[in-house]
Amino acid sequence: MDLDYTPTDDAFRAEVRSWLEANVPQDARAKVLNHKRLSRDDIANWHKLLGTKGWSAPAWPAEWGGPGWTETQRHIWDAECGRIGAPPVLPFGVSMVAPVIMKYGNEAQKRRYLPRILSGEDWWCQGYSEPGSGSDLASLRTRAVREGDHYVVNGQKTWTTLGQHADMMFCLVRTDPAAKKQEGISFLLIDMKTPGITVRPIITLDEDHEVNEVFFEDVKVPVENLVGEENRGWTYAKYLLGHERTGIARVGASNRELAFLKHVALNQKKNGKPLLHDPVFASRVAAVEIELMALEVTAERVIASSNNGRGPGPEASMLKIKGTEIQQALTELMVDAVGPLAAPFDPAFLEGEHAHSAAGDDDAAPLAAYYFNYRKTSIYGGSNEIQKNIIAQMILGI
Ligand SMILES: Cc1cc2nc3c(=O)[nH]c(=O)nc-3n(C[C@H](O)[C@H](O)[C@H](O)COP(=O)(O)OP(=O)(O)OC[C@H]3O[C@@H](n4cnc5c(N)ncnc54)[C@H](O)[C@@H]3O)c2cc1C
């Protein structure tokens, strides 16, 4: 089934496009367009601004403050944000823990956390992965023992994205070590200021501080922060992972990056002519562009079939694989296009402290860091190999 945009959708696109053009903060937008690093405030301020407009949680039901958009309108919103280079709204609160709280949380949890997620008051992080428990998540060992009106948590999480800024973590813990591994897990909401929590940076290949290790030493978590029932956390965790993969195709952002790649390749010369006109390079660019067009159509077909409320299902795995392959291919072509100009590492420029790169080429200077950073996309959100297993089992029936 194809997605037909109605006149109402076209009017919606025009409305959000003009609002974005007037409201995306120019300095944060310039960082996104130039592959520089966003600060905590860039991300938090954008979320808060969207919160006041009522657009921070496009998929939420109106009951909890969502804008009541259709799937198609949400797709248009994503595409327009990608097109203009808006900062991201982090998924951890809005798209991950919030759907779990809405479905499985109690009334007090809903009333406390959902409005704060909507407005951007709380910054959430995801405490799932542990050393040795990534793809095999159900083997996790962080232990929570109930003592009276609280749990005592001990253990370690890893790869916690932007956990250094977080107010809250949603965390999978083992509450029954004797049960089958999926049956002894619980889902806790943990205040990151609780004594006994240590957040330690992991510095990645691009010398960025985006991920962390988080250690728990006798951390007391009130029992009222348990979501749903004790030992039923695996059900909630899987429900959340279904939400994690939606929106991961990032077609709008990749279209913007394709335009940037062409811009860079036009400015580079090969044998006196623009690199973009070199037949070999042009054919590599065309191959990615064709893949991206195919992804866009596929994403629209998935949306058309989920407009009936069925949800994206295992097709989300296809979008995740293709979307991330294209994102990585674009970064590879950018680095290939500028060659040695990508080599200098200029952190002050990347962090937005200097307007121009000391290395001399502002377009090229951030590209090596960008390339290295994007190796992550085929690993996080469930690695691409795991997505292939899901497709094999759920779609192909193998
Ligand atoms: C940048 C980044 C940010 C992240 N942010 C977070 C976060 O905020 N919170 C969080 O909880 N986690 C986060 N993660 C962790 C992420 O979810 C895991 O890295 C991912 O699930 C893979 O787990 P692993 O690293 O332990 O690798 P492993 O599971 O050890 O996998 C190693 C390799 O083996 C392959 N493999 C494993 N099992 C199979 C199988 N059954 N069939 C085929 N191939 C297989 C994998 O695809 C991979 O190539 C992040 C990771 C990265 C890189």
Side-chain angles (χ1 to χ4, degrees):
M1 194 200 308
D2 287 338
L3 185 64
D4 291 321
Y5 292 109
T6 63
T8 314
D9 294 330
D10 294 339
F12 175 79
R13 187 187 294 278
E15 181 196 350
V16 296
R17 185 175 288 187
S18 78
W19 187 86
L20 286 168
E21 269 158 15
N23 289 284
V24 175
Q26 287 308 316
D27 47 348
R29 182 180 178 208
K31 288 184 187 173
V32 173
L33 296 179
N34 296 319
H35 310 104
K36 294 186 186 173
R37 291 174 180 158
L38 292 166
S39 66
R40 182 194 193 283
D41 286 350
D42 290 329
I43 295 171
N45 292 344
W46 176 233
H47 188 139
K48 286 178 183 155
L49 180 65
L50 288 175
T52 54
K53 177 73 180 164
W55 287 358
S56 60
W60 284 23
E63 178 196 356
W64 288 109
W69 291 343
T70 62
E71 289 260 6
T72 306
Q73 288 174 325
R74 273 145 52 188
H75 175 68
I76 292 171
W77 169 250
D78 284 346
E80 291 301 317
C81 287
R83 177 183 166 276
I84 198 161
V89 172
L90 295 182
F92 308 111
V94 165
S95 318
M96 295 169 107
V97 75
V100 172
I101 293 175
M102 281 179 207
K103 190 164 164 79
Y104 300 105
N106 59 35
E107 280 311 306
Q109 289 167 344
K110 289 179 195 173
R111 275 199 307 276
R112 171 161 178 78
Y113 295 114
L114 295 178
R116 298 166 67 96
I117 292 173
L118 196 67
S119 66
E121 198 170 337
D122 288 337
W123 182 303
W124 284 79
C125 66
Q126 179 184 25
Y128 273 29
S129 305
E130 298 181 7
S133 303
S135 305
D136 181 18
L137 185 60
S139 68
L140 63 92
R141 285 174 303 177
T142 294
R143 187 81 168 89
V145 179
R146 183 158 178 176
E147 285 181 9
D149 58 0
H150 56 257
Y151 289 97
V152 179
V153 179
N154 280 286
Q156 183 197 342
K157 296 290 168 181
T158 192
W159 303 120
T160 317
T161 298
L162 300 175
Q164 72 270 32
H165 304 314
D167 304 296
M168 295 292 299
M169 171 189 274
F170 55 91
C171 188
L172 294 180
V173 292
R174 188 158 299 285
T175 33
D176 183 356
K180 240 178 73 182
K181 61 182 181 178
Q182 285 86 352
E183 286 165 15
I185 293 172
S186 299
F187 194 107
L188 286 183
L189 310 177
I190 302 182
D191 184 335
M192 291 294 281
K193 286 186 285 302
T194 319
I197 298 180
T198 309
V199 180
R200 206 180 280 167
I202 300 174
I203 302 300
T204 42
L205 263 178
D206 55 335
E207 298 241 338
D208 199 2
H209 177 193
E210 191 176 287
V211 282
N212 302 273
E213 299 177 291
V214 180
F215 298 87
F216 301 88
E217 221 180 298
D218 292 331
V219 175
K220 284 187 175 178
V221 180
V223 167
E224 69 222 35
N225 286 21
L226 173 76
V227 174
E229 291 172 44
E230 195 175 275
N231 297 327
R232 294 288 310 279
W234 189 246
T235 306
Y236 319 143
K238 281 194 304 184
Y239 179 74
L240 181 148
L241 287 177
H243 286 261
E244 184 176 2
R245 279 188 286 276
T246 54
I248 213 154
R250 302 192 67 224
V251 173
S254 287
N255 273 322
R256 188 190 71 235
E257 296 297 18
L258 177 69
F260 180 84
L261 166 66
K262 290 181 180 176
H263 154 79
V264 168
L266 257 184
N267 288 340
Q268 298 299 317
K269 296 276 186 291
K270 185 175 175 192
N271 300 328
K273 293 190 192 137
L275 177 64
L276 190 62
H277 299 162
D278 172 72
V280 175
F281 196 82
S283 72
R284 290 176 66 199
V285 174
V288 179
E289 185 161 7
I290 291 164
E291 288 282 322
L292 182 53
M293 289 165 79
L295 176 69
E296 188 160 10
V297 174
T298 309
E300 291 183 350
R301 285 174 56 207
V302 171
I303 288 155
S305 61
S306 44
N307 260 337
N308 57 18
R310 191 176 61 84
E315 299 91 335
S317 296
M318 288 192 311
L319 301 181
K320 200 265 164 169
I321 294 172
K322 274 291 164 197
T324 54
E325 284 177 355
I326 290 167
Q327 288 158 37
Q328 292 185 339
L330 287 167
T331 65
E332 279 160 33
L333 282 165
M334 285 177 200
V335 168
D336 283 357
V338 300
L341 294 176
F345 179 60
D346 186 350
F349 179 60
L350 275 179
E351 301 290 346
E353 290 159 20
H354 295 168
H356 295 290
S357 164
D361 187 312
D362 291 352
D363 282 339
L367 291 182
Y370 179 47
Y371 166 88
F372 285 129
N373 186 275
Y374 264 56
R375 300 309 93 197
K376 70 189 175 188
T377 62
S378 48
I379 303 171
Y380 66 20
S383 75
N384 284 13
E385 290 77 18
I386 295 297
Q387 303 308 324
K388 286 179 186 167
N389 288 348
I390 294 172
I391 292 171
Q393 286 161 14
M394 310 284 286
I395 300 181
L396 304 177
I398 299 173

